[in-house]
Amino acid sequence: MKTLLVTISKGGVGKTMCTCQLARHARSLGLRVLVIDFDDQVNASNALERKYTENDVVATRLGQTATELLLRYSETDLGSIPEFALVAGDGALVREFVEFARTTDPGQVHSRMYMAQANFAAFLGDIAPHFDLCIIDSPPAADIRISVSLMEGDAVLSPIQLSQECIEGIAETLSGQRGILRIKASTNPELQFLGFLPNMVESTPKQREALREIADNVGEFLLRNENEELVFLPRRAAFADAQEKGTALANLAKTNTAAREAWAITKPIFTLILERLGLTPKLRQLDASRKIQKIESQALGVNPDDVLGATADEGAGNESVASRS
Ligand SMILES: Nc1ncnc2c1ncn2[C@@H]1O[C@H](COP(=O)(O)OP(=O)(O)OP(=O)(O)O)[C@@H](O)[C@H]1O
Ligand SMILES: [Mg+2]
């Protein structure tokens, strides 16, 4: 299992959208996906528990919420483990960790932090055999939720907006006290920073100026494709629409031209992210087994589409394809 934290110390830049859309896409390809919602706003939990069409898969909650997981993790309380799962947010993380740290003596705070990290590490160890990919959605903050994820995770992706205000968030996320580089240097040398991914990009002079400034300061940390070109997600209503409806962008793309255009830009970026996470061999395996199933069902004279549903590419979120993989 690869664990990807989606984080940046700036609100409203697309962390939850990237988390949910990448999760739905990865699931549509047959990967077993877990999403952890570490944000008290519970936007990812809500979006992944919505469903728009029959093609959409709702993520199933594990038996413990995010706060329970950190405070009193118990493997037996997780219940049965589905292939598209959610550790739901519960709105209590700030109270139990951030406010607790402000109002309690340092000894108790330290032992709670220590316990949270130990619980999180134990949880990830226990569920690792059940999933290929775990994506953590985070709040626009840099507290214990981010530190435990950085300490125990494999990789980080940071969506950004090309704006002056986002530049401070970039610095904090990269080099702050609980920043990626600091935690990588001190406790998790294996941590892989996939990079900053500009989102909601528009071709305006202000955004071009902000991109120049970001590139001058942290150019080496911007996500680039195999040709070393910068990649970005444009501002398109289709992203918000897909999130609101509870569906994959690829699903909207079947009937909506604007969504198709947005998906054509997004899909290679998601492929790049899955590749950087080392999931390409697993995806090839899944693709090969789908092809074999198709050939077998054709040989049996069964309509392969009845058996397999749409192909993974067309049928984002189609559980009938994924659950047999
Ligand atoms: N590329 C995009 N184009 C248009 N709308 C987008 C795009 N990306 C995200 N959005 C929308 O922008 C809003 C903010 O995105 P999102 O909730 O993912 O941000 P966030 O970083 O998770 O915010 P928060 O810090 O509050 O958790 C949402 O309505 C989302 O659907
Ligand atoms: Mg969010």
Side-chain angles (χ1 to χ4, degrees):
M1 182 182 80
K2 293 290 178 167
T3 301
L4 172 70
L5 170 67
V6 181
T7 186
I8 181 87
S9 292
K10 173 79 178 73
V13 298
K15 296 180 288 297
T16 302
M17 185 282 289
C18 287
T19 299
C20 297
Q21 290 301 318
L22 180 63
R24 285 188 184 278
H25 177 57
R27 183 66 196 128
S28 79
L29 298 174
L31 295 175
R32 300 162 303 162
V33 180
L34 168 68
V35 173
I36 301 176
D37 189 353
F38 268 161
D39 189 349
D40 278 346
Q41 298 178 92
V42 301
N43 292 335
S45 306
N46 289 337
L48 291 170
E49 289 187 316
R50 280 197 286 269
K51 182 177 156 95
Y52 179 53
T53 68
E54 282 313 305
N55 265 342
D56 296 311
V57 187
V58 168
T60 305
R61 286 179 179 227
L62 296 183
Q64 287 202 303
T65 62
T67 310
E68 287 165 348
L69 196 79
L70 296 180
L71 284 182
R72 45 181 174 278
Y73 167 57
S74 137
E75 190 179 7
T76 46
D77 288 349
L78 292 181
S80 67
I81 299 184
E83 294 193 329
F84 190 30
L86 171 70
V87 171
D90 52 16
L93 284 157
V94 167
R95 187 182 70 233
E96 294 296 342
F97 290 95
V98 183
E99 284 168 16
F100 181 84
R102 269 202 293 269
T103 55
T104 315
D105 75 80
Q108 279 185 52
V109 171
H110 185 262
S111 63
R112 179 166 289 196
M113 302 298 167
Y114 182 78
M115 183 186 63
Q117 191 191 342
N119 279 335
F120 194 54
F123 166 72
L124 290 179
D126 289 341
I127 49 114
H130 300 279
F131 296 100
D132 302 300
L133 174 63
C134 165
I135 312 178
I136 305 171
D137 188 27
S138 64
D143 56 47
I144 172 84
R145 297 167 278 183
I146 309 298
S147 345
V148 296
S149 306
L150 289 173
M151 285 190 260
E152 303 303 330
D154 298 302
V156 190
L157 176 73
S158 295
I160 55 169
Q161 247 180 295
L162 299 178
S163 68
Q164 196 56 43
E165 308 88 76
C166 205
I167 291 171
E168 280 164 32
I170 289 174
E172 167 91 12
T173 299
L174 196 58
S175 318
Q177 221 193 341
R178 295 170 190 263
I180 297 165
L181 297 181
R182 226 172 247 233
I183 292 197
K184 186 173 163 68
S186 62
T187 45
N188 187 0
E190 302 295 316
L191 185 68
Q192 187 191 357
F193 183 40
L194 301 186
F196 294 109
L197 170 62
N199 181 30
M200 306 191 202
V201 172
E202 293 168 291
S203 182
T204 62
K206 263 193 167 165
Q207 288 218 350
R208 278 196 291 273
E209 173 57 32
L211 178 61
R212 259 192 298 277
E213 191 172 335
I214 292 165
D216 283 348
N217 289 297
V218 291
E220 66 187 295
F221 296 108
L222 286 163
L223 181 63
R224 287 168 198 270
N225 65 16
E226 56 285 355
N227 302 321
E228 286 298 308
E229 294 154 343
L230 293 180
V231 295
F232 63 86
L233 297 170
R235 180 184 288 279
R236 294 285 185 278
F239 289 97
D241 200 22
Q243 282 296 95
E244 233 164 77
K245 289 187 159 85
T247 192
L249 192 55
N251 203 19
L252 289 189
K254 287 180 198 165
T255 52
N256 178 310
T257 313
R260 197 169 310 136
E261 186 221 335
W263 180 233
I265 300 170
T266 308
K267 189 180 172 190
I269 298 177
F270 283 180
T271 304
L272 181 71
I273 292 168
L274 296 176
E275 186 197 309
R276 297 275 155 92
L277 288 169
L279 289 164
T280 307
K282 177 76 194 182
L283 288 169
R284 285 210 189 101
Q285 220 179 31
L286 287 164
D287 199 38
S289 72
R290 260 193 304 268
K291 281 181 185 146
I292 291 166
Q293 263 184 306
K294 197 162 183 171
I295 292 164
E296 280 173 355
S297 49
Q298 274 167 341
L300 289 169
V302 181
N303 177 358
D305 284 344
D306 290 345
V307 179
L308 293 166
T311 64
D313 204 17
E314 297 161 351
N318 189 321
E319 190 68 4
S320 66
V321 173
S323 57
R324 270 188 288 277
S325 54

